[in-house]
Amino acid sequence: MVGSTRPDLRLQERLALMAAHLVVALVALVVIGGATRVMEAGLACPDWPLCYGRFLPGQQMNLQVFLEWFHRLDAFVVGVALLVLTGVSAFWRQSLPRWLPWVAAGSLLLVAVQGALGALTVSQLLAAPLVTAHLATALLLVALVSGLYQRLALAGAETESNSGPAPRWWQALAFGSLLLVVGQCVLGGSMASQWAAQQCLSSGDGCRWLLAHRQGAAPAAAAVATLALSSLLLPAHQSQGRGLALGALALVVAQVALGVAVLRHQLMLPGITIAHQLVAALLVALLASALARSYGRPQANLEWAHG
């Protein structure tokens, strides 16, 4: 389109790269937080935001302290990176997609909420509702930043591949699958924050939480399987969305296997439990990416490409 302003594709590529690193950092944040809980290290640092009154508690450092300290460090790095992303997207908003400053600011706000919940979690001695809310906020961040990265990558693409949207029924299915999986993850986090699985296996108490988590897995898995199988009907330009959906199905299979292994070993192997949480975070990231991809390339950039 003659007379339209072409965006700074190099800037968009750099911001997309930053967003990609943020997704990795956020997935790591969820996993390290899960490892902190599994290793009973949630109160290894008795104060907040410092640890034993220091940025680096060298004298008190052990595995538990390291997990809690590194979890906070990762969250700090994520917060700084999102602050930079928000500032850059606001300053150069005329050369970037209009939605970017708002989504970046929303992500930054979620990080602030996450930090506040982290502080309350420590001060309230790991109260279960706060721990669950802390996890839910982290998963929302994973989904939001994953979608942000995909939209930035599409907006900065110079070719017209993958330009068209997926059918609306598939978009709705992707959104529903994401909601079910996030809900299932939050339910699992609520169960874990109350140590319900351990109580159920040891004394038979709290088994309703474990049963609810197992029952909730069925509709979430069915939704992802339906999404993946129906992706075979998508047009050729949605090949990347199809790949993401099929990857999500592979993660569901791995997640079910890990869940069975966790119960078979009666939660005695922390590595399996942490892997279970890693796959859950990756699954949220892939489904959010598939949903973002399903809307196709932003129309404005198609006009710039033709300009």
Side-chain angles (χ1 to χ4, degrees):
M1 177 181 292
V2 178
S4 61
T5 303
R6 183 181 177 86
D8 189 338
L9 292 179
R10 178 171 295 182
L11 176 59
Q12 289 197 144
E13 290 172 355
R14 290 177 177 176
L15 292 180
L17 181 62
M18 176 184 287
H21 285 89
L22 272 169
V23 173
V24 175
L26 284 166
V27 170
L29 188 65
V30 174
V31 174
I32 297 169
T36 300
R37 184 196 60 79
V38 170
M39 300 302 294
E40 300 183 21
L43 296 176
C45 293
D47 47 347
W48 191 95
L50 299 177
C51 187
Y52 288 97
R54 300 179 181 179
F55 175 74
L56 180 62
Q59 295 181 349
Q60 294 83 8
M61 187 65 74
N62 54 36
L63 177 59
Q64 290 181 313
V65 172
F66 174 79
L67 285 172
E68 175 63 10
W69 171 80
F70 192 74
H71 181 61
R72 296 183 186 183
L73 179 64
D74 190 7
F76 174 76
V77 171
V78 167
V80 171
L82 279 174
L83 181 62
V84 172
L85 180 62
T86 302
V88 169
S89 62
F91 188 81
W92 278 283
R93 60 186 179 278
Q94 298 299 328
S95 300
L96 293 167
R98 293 180 180 179
W99 53 264
L100 181 57
W102 298 100
V103 176
S107 301
L108 184 61
L109 178 61
L110 280 178
V111 166
V113 172
Q114 181 79 339
L117 288 171
L120 286 172
T121 297
V122 174
S123 64
Q124 298 300 315
L125 304 178
L126 305 179
L130 291 172
V131 175
T132 303
H134 194 58
L135 172 64
T137 307
L139 292 173
L140 287 177
L141 270 168
V142 170
L144 187 58
V145 177
S146 296
L148 183 152
Y149 162 69
Q150 294 295 335
R151 299 305 296 168
L152 266 181
L154 282 170
E158 296 190 19
T159 65
E160 295 185 28
S161 61
N162 200 25
S163 59
R168 289 190 178 182
W169 61 264
W170 201 83
Q171 294 173 359
L173 184 56
F175 181 71
S177 299
L178 178 60
L179 282 182
L180 285 171
V181 167
V182 170
Q184 175 67 0
C185 291
V186 173
L187 181 59
S190 180
M191 177 188 71
S193 65
Q194 300 177 70
W195 302 96
Q198 288 87 342
Q199 294 176 20
C200 179
L201 293 174
S202 61
S203 62
D205 295 329
C207 291
R208 65 183 185 279
W209 286 102
L210 181 58
L211 180 61
H213 185 57
R214 294 177 65 178
Q215 290 177 337
V224 175
T226 303
L227 180 73
L229 294 176
S230 63
S231 70
L232 301 176
L233 303 175
L234 292 176
H237 63 258
Q238 278 287 333
S239 59
Q240 290 180 312
R242 181 183 304 113
L244 289 167
L246 293 173
L249 179 58
L251 287 178
V252 165
V253 174
Q255 187 73 330
V256 171
L258 286 168
V260 171
V262 166
L263 293 179
R264 180 171 296 175
H265 293 283
Q266 298 188 358
L267 290 88
M268 297 302 294
L269 297 179
I272 300 178
T273 304
I274 294 170
H276 193 56
Q277 296 162 341
L278 170 61
V279 174
L282 290 174
L283 185 56
V284 170
L286 256 65
L287 289 173
S289 296
L291 177 61
R293 282 270 174 184
S294 72
Y295 292 100
R297 190 175 172 200
Q299 183 62 32
N301 285 85
L302 292 178
E303 294 175 356
W304 284 320
H306 290 155

